[in-house]
Amino acid sequence: MKNRTAVKKTGRVTIRDVAVHALVNASTVSRVLNPVTRSLIGDEVAHRVLASAKTLGYRQNSAASALRGGKSRVIGVLLPDIENPVFPPIVRGIEAQLATEGFSVLIANAVGSPKDQERALEQMFSRQVDGLVLATAARQDSLVRRCILEGVPVVLVNRAEEGGHVPEVVNDDFLSMKLAVEHLVSLGHKRIAHISGPANLATGFSRIEGFQVATHQYRLTEAPIIESAEFTREAGKVACIRLLKEDTNVTAIVAANDLIALGCYDALADLGLNCPADISIIGHNDMPLVDMLNPPLTTIRIQHREMGRQAARLLLEKLSSPGAAPIRITLPPELKVRQSTAPPKID
């Protein structure tokens, strides 16, 4: 083999520099560096090119690649609250699945008003993302409609949109509520309340419906529902105080998520009540460390990482088959019984 030509060390290393170092054509380097076309090149040459790229410190210019080929190999992920512990495992699932096909992830926190969410979406468009995973969807969502109009492939995760216009991956909220209500009924509770999330969000709405179906199934005629303004600890506390002041007969609460359940803990402390002696509490999500609370929280474990993985898989399928009909994947939850639920107090 000929001696490799030395490459100057100054300035940005280019594909041509890698080609000279590896003794191949620049087009061969491009094929090797693209995961989609790498299999077209023999293993020995591919290994040589990758070794040269590493030796020279070559970094691929994704923006330039997007302009040349129309593909950035970047997927945008919009989150409604990046501080919510629910979303890191979803993102990890998305990243792990996309990495197998050579895609990277760009994350934006789309919290705030509809205008703030629109601004986050515009930033994703400006970065030439190949597709989007939205965890921000409302039941009637303008961002979803915008993506459809722009022709940008989109998949919803953890939340759904009415109409089934795009693929989505969600938890089985009806089963979640059945498991929660069934557990409380088995302990002897007859006055069970639900503190829901916002009803304009699919997760809040579907859990309300699931709670109503489950309480009807167990013939619980008095099953009050109080809507929390947000899926947050602070809003959960406000809603719980309101509930317990309006209905002093409640013996158990099913919270729409673990953060709302934490707010219920705060409310009980303020009102001089004890969990579970006075009020049993069940959460949703099984966030990290809820087993370390006092008392450890009984909750519904949701498959968030698998949810992210499946959302990424659906998006990859959407990219390869744009005309395919949208589908919904519904993942089953699991009840995790801890010490925040107990039989009701006998007066």
Side-chain angles (χ1 to χ4, degrees):
M1 182 182 294
K2 299 178 183 178
N3 292 331
R4 294 180 180 175
T5 305
V7 178
K8 59 185 179 181
K9 301 294 183 181
T10 60
R12 181 183 176 87
V13 178
T14 67
I15 282 181
R16 196 172 299 278
D17 294 330
V18 176
V20 169
H21 190 272
L23 302 175
V24 297
N25 294 326
S27 60
T28 300
V29 175
S30 294
R31 291 190 179 95
V32 171
L33 296 179
N34 184 344
V36 174
T37 56
R38 185 174 296 166
S39 61
L40 301 176
I41 306 300
D43 289 346
E44 190 275 329
V45 173
H47 290 156
R48 194 163 79 239
V49 168
L50 293 172
S52 292
K54 183 176 180 180
T55 298
L56 298 177
Y58 174 76
R59 294 290 182 272
Q60 193 164 9
N61 187 335
S62 298
S65 298
L67 290 173
R68 288 194 302 270
K71 298 294 182 184
S72 65
R73 303 197 72 75
V74 175
I75 298 301
V77 178
L78 289 188
L79 304 178
D81 181 4
I82 203 166
E83 294 182 330
N84 189 323
V86 162
F87 294 110
I90 291 177
V91 172
R92 290 184 67 181
I94 292 171
E95 288 179 327
Q97 184 66 28
L98 291 177
T100 64
E101 299 295 332
F103 285 81
S104 57
V105 171
L106 180 64
I107 300 169
N109 192 33
V111 66
S113 68
K115 285 187 177 180
D116 293 328
Q117 294 189 350
E118 286 282 353
R119 191 177 300 114
L121 187 67
E122 287 293 345
Q123 290 174 348
M124 290 293 182
F125 288 162
S126 69
R127 285 164 173 76
Q128 303 287 326
V129 295
D130 291 339
L132 284 162
V133 178
L134 301 183
T136 56
R139 288 166 57 201
Q140 297 177 341
D141 196 87
S142 61
L143 299 189
V144 174
R145 290 193 292 276
R146 177 74 189 283
C147 290
I148 293 172
L149 290 173
E150 295 280 351
V152 177
V154 60
V155 171
L156 307 185
V157 65
N158 194 49
R159 294 182 181 174
E161 188 223 17
E162 290 183 348
H165 299 108
V166 297
E168 53 195 31
V169 185
V170 295
N171 175 64
D172 188 338
D173 289 325
F174 279 70
L175 179 55
S176 286
M177 283 299 177
K178 182 179 185 298
L179 292 172
V181 171
E182 182 178 64
H183 171 63
L184 292 171
V185 169
S186 72
L187 293 174
H189 291 276
K190 296 179 180 178
R191 187 76 169 184
I192 302 169
H194 175 45
I195 299 183
S196 78
N200 69 311
L201 300 177
T203 306
F205 185 73
S206 62
R207 289 178 188 169
I208 290 171
E209 287 192 316
F211 179 76
Q212 290 171 330
V213 169
T215 52
H216 178 75
Q217 179 182 350
Y218 287 99
R219 296 179 172 83
L220 302 177
T221 55
E222 298 294 336
I225 298 173
I226 296 291
E227 183 177 340
S228 177
E230 298 178 291
F231 280 106
T232 63
R233 179 174 182 172
E234 296 76 15
K237 177 181 177 179
V238 171
C240 186
I241 290 175
R242 177 185 161 199
L243 166 70
L244 296 178
K245 286 185 175 179
E246 292 180 359
D247 193 328
T248 57
N249 295 319
V250 167
T251 62
I253 296 171
V254 180
N257 76 348
D258 291 341
L259 291 176
I260 290 176
L262 286 177
C264 292
Y265 276 36
D266 296 336
L268 265 59
D270 281 5
L271 296 172
L273 299 173
N274 178 269
C275 175
D278 296 307
I279 306 285
S280 287
I281 297 174
I282 296 182
H284 270 75
N285 288 330
D286 196 25
M287 295 187 321
L289 304 182
V290 294
D291 59 330
M292 303 294 289
L293 297 173
N294 183 25
L297 181 65
T298 296
T299 188
I300 303 294
R301 176 174 291 176
I302 295 174
Q303 300 183 61
H304 289 115
R305 185 176 296 195
E306 179 65 12
M307 195 178 282
R309 193 184 73 79
Q310 291 291 346
R313 183 181 65 80
L314 288 183
L315 187 56
L316 291 171
E317 291 179 0
K318 187 74 174 174
L319 290 171
S320 61
S321 303
I327 64 171
R328 167 186 278 203
I329 295 177
T330 303
L331 299 177
E334 176 187 2
L335 176 67
K336 301 298 293 183
V337 178
R338 299 190 179 104
Q339 282 76 58
S340 67
T341 50
K345 182 189 296 184
I346 299 175
D347 295 326

